[in-house]
Amino acid sequence: MTEKKELILETALKLFAERGFDTTPTSMIAKEAGVSEGLIFRHFTNKEGLMDAILAMSEERMARHVKSIVALAEPLAKIHATIELPVKLFSEEREFWKLQFSLKWQKKYRGQSYRPSGYYLELVEVITDAFRQLGYAEPEKEVLLLVMLIDGLSNQLMQQPSEAFIEQTLSFLKSKYQLDKLKS
């Protein structure tokens, strides 16, 4: 990837995360990146193409994280790693994941409603299976609850809470899923 193309992607990511996709014109991206708007169109065709490139990067990054969770042998370890995932994502690349998380609430780019990625769906399947292996009577409902908790945690992470808050929250959430506390 060329240096200018990378700069455009990084700048668009930053502005989309801060301002939203719908309210960030390509002229602003060009100005902030110090490139011509024509260069953006040459590399990405239009603003949607630019967002497509960012979302493709998202798929690659998420694939790594999901594969590491899938590779864990113990079902409880998979659940705990899933609980830790938003903290890991936000600490590694805050703007990138802030954009991913916020797309659910923005006007829909390409006029489409939000659809979870293939890797998100794979993770849901893996966690559902983990709950099933641990003997939960309704693993699908457990996953729905866990997803709501993780969405809430992600929302808090966007507000940049203290490290102490993050550690206490992770500890509390993981304490809900301990072998000695499992109930069917």
Side-chain angles (χ1 to χ4, degrees):
M1 184 179 314
T2 69
E3 189 176 313
K4 293 279 187 182
K5 189 173 182 179
E6 219 170 285
L7 178 61
I8 292 167
L9 282 169
E10 288 173 19
T11 304
L13 170 62
K14 177 180 172 254
L15 292 172
F16 289 161
E18 289 173 2
R19 301 175 43 88
F21 174 79
D22 294 326
T23 58
T24 304
T26 53
S27 59
M28 180 182 286
I29 296 166
K31 182 178 179 184
E32 185 89 13
V35 300
S36 70
E37 195 171 8
L39 187 60
I40 292 173
F41 296 135
R42 189 172 96 204
H43 283 299
F44 302 101
T45 308
N46 54 31
K47 189 166 82 166
E48 287 79 9
L50 185 53
M51 179 61 95
D52 288 344
I54 291 170
L55 292 177
M57 290 181 345
S58 161
E59 285 290 311
E60 292 170 17
R61 292 171 181 179
M62 195 61 179
R64 282 193 325 259
H65 292 289
V66 171
K67 285 178 184 176
S68 70
I69 292 172
V70 169
L72 295 171
E74 297 298 319
L76 191 58
K78 291 177 182 182
I79 293 168
H80 285 191
T82 301
I83 291 169
E84 294 168 354
L85 186 58
V87 173
K88 189 174 190 178
L89 297 176
F90 275 86
S91 67
E92 288 176 0
E93 301 176 86
R94 181 173 171 65
E95 288 176 340
F96 190 84
W97 297 107
K98 180 179 177 183
L99 172 63
Q100 297 302 303
F101 184 73
S102 69
L103 281 175
K104 295 179 197 178
W105 291 281
Q106 294 182 36
K107 281 187 175 177
K108 309 310 176 203
Y109 111 95
R110 290 193 176 271
Q112 300 171 357
S113 59
Y114 170 76
R115 280 184 262 160
S117 73
Y119 289 105
Y120 173 85
L121 295 174
E122 180 182 0
L123 183 59
V124 166
E125 187 176 310
V126 165
I127 299 307
T128 302
D129 189 51
F131 279 117
R132 192 173 288 114
Q133 288 176 26
L134 291 170
Y136 279 80
E138 299 181 279
E140 293 82 6
K141 289 182 181 177
E142 293 294 339
V143 170
L144 287 174
L145 176 61
L146 185 57
V147 167
M148 285 188 275
L149 292 170
I150 289 172
D151 275 349
L153 175 58
S154 297
N155 188 45
Q156 290 297 312
L157 291 170
M158 288 186 6
Q159 307 304 317
Q160 297 182 307
S162 69
E163 286 297 318
F165 173 84
I166 293 169
E167 287 305 316
Q168 289 170 350
T169 303
L170 284 178
S171 178
F172 180 75
L173 289 175
K174 289 194 289 188
S175 76
K176 297 297 182 186
Y177 303 102
Q178 295 294 334
L179 289 177
D180 60 340
K181 293 185 178 185
L182 296 179
K183 303 284 182 204
S184 295

